[in-house]
Amino acid sequence: MPALEPAPPLLADLGPALEPESRAALGAPGYLHSAPGPAPAPAPGEGPPPGTVLEPQSAPESSCPCRGSVKNQPSEELPDMTTFPPRLLAEQLTLMDAELFKNVVLYECLGCIWGQRHPKGNEHMAPTVRATIAHFNRLTNCITTSCLGDHSMSARDRARVVEHWIKVARECLSLNNFSSVHVIVSALRSNPIGQLHKTWAGVSSKSMKELKELCKKDTAVKRDLLIKAGSFKVATQERNPQRAQMRLRRQKKGVVPFLGDFLTELQRLDSAIPDDLDGNTNKRSKEVRVLQEMQLLQVAAMNYRLRPLEKFVTYFTRMEQLSDKESYKLSCQLEPENP
């Protein structure tokens, strides 16, 4: 069995680094940092709820976060998505999501940092968050392309692909990968796929019921519910941060949350609480609490014991990327709306 990864530095004393007069401290190594690294992007359409601060259009394209990326392998015909069993797909996505979430640098998620990404010259701000968002976008595109990319597919064929992704989302849920559950459900509900009426008419009633349940869980299993669940609840009740991390490591249960929920909460805190002296104390304490929750989840994400499958990494990194406009146009061509 592989050796356990070292836990990230403890978030035991974040106060000084979060004070407005010491903003520069946010860029310095210290308690606010987990391990640096790349990370992914959100689903279009009806994916993230209003207020979620993920932006597909602004995210750069990401490389696969897994070790053993095979971008430079000789070209070969890519397999059909349905050739990968749902459990295998879920495990590969969970591996990618866990790697990216573990490597998110926590201070980049603060509203005062992430909220400044728009001005010109800030394109390289919060690289680990942008990398995570870019991955969300790539997965969304992968789902959309698998349903729309093959013009020879019939509506029945596309229905089978939709059912396959529903099974993948169900397996992701069983792995506590709430990130991919959100992206898959959002992609299936987006306009390019959601408007394929003939396709959806061919989806089995069992799959439709499963999708409905997944949608409910994706709406309900947000940060607050996640924090109250299972071993994570016990860890957050532990006053000693080091013991809290040790509890999670012993549980050996992996968890990957949806990063957008934390970004939304931190953005809300930054904009809702004024920056006067008393407000700063209240704001910083709330921000510290959110970051501590994130770090405990980063520890939990270390508990997965999954290995990358080269064939899937090749597929995922090479699959055709369609823009939102291209996807919508192709969707209308495949199943034109009734006049």
Side-chain angles (χ1 to χ4, degrees):
M1 177 178 291
L4 290 177
E5 300 178 44
L10 295 177
L11 291 176
D13 181 15
L14 298 179
L18 291 176
E19 290 302 319
E21 60 268 21
S22 59
R23 284 277 199 233
L26 293 174
Y31 290 111
L32 275 175
H33 286 271
S34 51
E46 297 180 22
T52 300
V53 290
L54 304 186
E55 298 176 357
Q57 299 305 322
S58 63
E61 187 173 317
S62 69
S63 58
C64 176
C66 303
R67 300 179 185 89
S69 181
V70 289
K71 275 215 165 194
N72 296 323
Q73 294 286 333
S75 60
E76 58 183 72
E77 185 176 349
L78 296 180
D80 181 84
M81 173 55 66
T82 55
T83 62
F84 297 107
R87 182 68 182 189
L88 186 150
L89 269 177
E91 289 177 350
Q92 293 301 302
L93 293 175
T94 299
L95 173 61
M96 293 179 176
D97 290 328
E99 286 292 320
L100 288 162
F101 183 69
K102 287 186 299 184
N103 290 331
V104 168
V105 177
L106 297 181
Y107 83 86
E108 293 181 4
C109 300
L110 289 169
C112 63
I113 302 296
W114 180 239
Q116 299 301 314
R117 66 195 181 279
H118 293 303
K120 187 175 180 181
N122 289 353
E123 293 82 5
H124 300 294
M125 182 173 284
T128 63
V129 176
R130 289 179 182 272
T132 303
I133 294 174
H135 174 73
F136 294 160
N137 284 335
R138 178 170 283 279
L139 176 55
T140 299
N141 208 293
C142 178
I143 296 166
T144 303
T145 303
S146 68
C147 293
L148 304 177
D150 187 349
H151 293 226
S152 66
M153 290 171 60
S154 65
R156 181 178 178 82
D157 294 332
R158 288 190 292 274
R160 300 292 81 80
V161 176
V162 168
E163 290 176 349
H164 197 73
W165 280 113
I166 293 172
K167 292 176 183 177
V168 174
R170 187 181 62 193
E171 294 291 348
C172 286
L173 185 62
S174 73
L175 290 167
N176 290 329
N177 181 1
F178 302 108
S179 181
S180 281
V181 170
H182 177 81
V183 174
I184 293 171
V185 168
S186 298
L188 293 178
R189 296 172 63 191
S190 66
N191 286 334
I193 298 178
Q195 69 176 8
L196 298 173
H197 301 299
K198 293 179 181 178
T199 295
W200 285 103
V203 176
S204 69
S205 57
K206 178 183 177 181
S207 293
M208 291 299 294
K209 182 178 179 180
E210 290 175 350
L211 179 60
K212 186 176 181 180
E213 288 300 313
L214 287 167
C215 290
K216 287 182 180 179
K217 291 183 182 297
D218 178 53
T219 302
V221 184
K222 295 300 183 182
R223 190 171 61 85
D224 290 341
L225 184 56
L226 183 66
I227 290 167
K228 295 175 184 177
S231 59
F232 188 64
K233 178 181 179 181
V234 177
T236 54
Q237 292 174 344
E238 179 64 69
R239 292 187 177 184
N240 185 302
Q242 194 166 22
R243 284 202 297 265
Q245 290 189 347
M246 291 174 63
R247 278 179 178 270
L248 284 173
R249 299 307 296 274
R250 285 199 297 265
Q251 289 291 333
K252 297 182 179 180
K253 293 181 179 178
V255 178
V256 184
F258 177 57
L259 181 63
D261 295 331
F262 291 100
L263 295 178
T264 300
E265 176 66 10
L266 289 167
Q267 186 77 69
R268 185 189 67 79
L269 288 174
D270 187 63
S271 59
I273 302 178
D275 277 329
D276 55 43
L277 186 60
D278 294 334
N280 272 329
T281 302
N282 188 25
K283 176 189 292 187
R284 301 314 172 209
S285 64
K286 290 178 182 292
E287 288 176 331
V288 167
R289 177 61 177 171
V290 175
L291 295 180
Q292 287 174 331
E293 292 166 3
M294 290 182 68
Q295 187 170 47
L296 284 176
L297 285 167
Q298 286 183 320
V299 173
M302 294 178 181
N303 289 333
Y304 289 109
R305 293 293 174 263
L306 302 169
R307 297 184 181 278
L309 177 67
E310 183 174 294
K311 190 174 183 180
F312 175 76
V313 175
T314 303
Y315 174 89
F316 192 75
T317 55
R318 291 183 183 174
M319 195 167 190
E320 179 186 6
Q321 297 290 292
L322 301 172
S323 67
D324 289 343
K325 288 184 178 180
E326 290 171 335
S327 298
Y328 185 77
K329 182 178 179 180
L330 186 55
S331 174
C332 293
Q333 291 173 347
L334 292 172
E335 294 187 24
E337 295 184 18
N338 294 327

